[in-house]
Each structure stands twice: as C-alpha cells, then as structure tokens.
Amino acid sequence: MSTHVPPGWPAQVHPPGAERFEDTALTWLLELVPPEYRRYGVLRRYPVALARMARHHVHASVEAARTGFRSARVELAGAVPPHGIESVLETYRQEGARLVALLQSVDLVESALRDRETAP
C-alpha cells in the first residue's frame, strides 16, 4: 500500500489504497457541495459521481469569483468607497487562489476514485 500522494492532495483524505480512503474522500467531498446533496443515496453509493458533481460545483465557484472580480469596480462604484473596493478585490484574489487549489484537489481525488473503479 502506497502512502504517497501528489502535491495538492487534501489533508482530510487518506491516500489512495489506504484503509478508509473512500470513506474519507466521501466525507470531504460532501463538505464541498450544497448540504442538500447529502439526501441522495446514489452519491454515497458512487463516490466518483459525487466527485464529478463536486468538481462542477467548485468550478462554478471559481468562475463566479472571476466574474465578481472583473465586475466589482463597476458594480460597487458609489456604494463602496475606493479603499473598500480594493479590499473586496483582494478578497476575490485570495478566495480565487483558494478555490483554484481546491479544484485541483478535487481533480486529484476524482482521478484516484476513478482509478479505484477501474482497478482489477
């Protein structure tokens, strides 16, 4: 059993091949999607399906942050002072970087789950 994980692997998820890998991946992925997703048993039965949905959800958050960053100056002009707008833009920069890293982590976990599905 290998405990090597690639850079960007989420600390909350056990390495692929480790005991409870799938359980920890499932728990972590459920934290990334809207709480309502917990109602659907199919996502617990097929963690790779949950990973796919989490990937799309996080990707949408990345795109929303990018759109918000691009439009913040215009949409907030007059409602927020210039120093406040700069703070909002910095928040978008920080959150954007976090979300991009999160998306990369989701991709790694999804790939590991897919590999597990296709393993003999």
Side-chain angles (χ1 to χ4, degrees), residues 6-74:
W9 187 264
Q12 303 90 327
V13 180
H14 291 191
E19 188 175 328
R20 298 197 58 236
F21 157 64
E22 195 169 292
D23 292 337
T24 59
L26 182 71
T27 299
W28 180 73
L29 290 165
L30 283 169
E31 292 297 319
L32 304 181
V33 296
E36 294 79 15
Y37 283 35
R38 293 174 186 270
R39 289 189 239 162
Y40 302 100
V42 68
L43 300 178
R44 290 180 187 277
R45 280 191 305 279
Y46 303 105
V48 71
L50 174 60
R52 178 185 171 277
M53 293 178 88
R55 178 171 41 86
H56 286 285
H57 184 74
V58 174
H59 181 265
S61 294
V62 169
E63 290 305 312
R66 288 175 177 160
T67 299
F69 181 86
R70 286 191 302 266
S71 63
R73 285 188 195 280
V74 172

Side-chain angles (χ1 to χ4, degrees), residues 88-99:
V88 168
L89 293 174
E90 182 56 29
T91 300
Y92 274 122
R93 284 183 198 99
Q94 290 178 21
E95 274 303 294
R98 183 189 71 80
L99 288 166

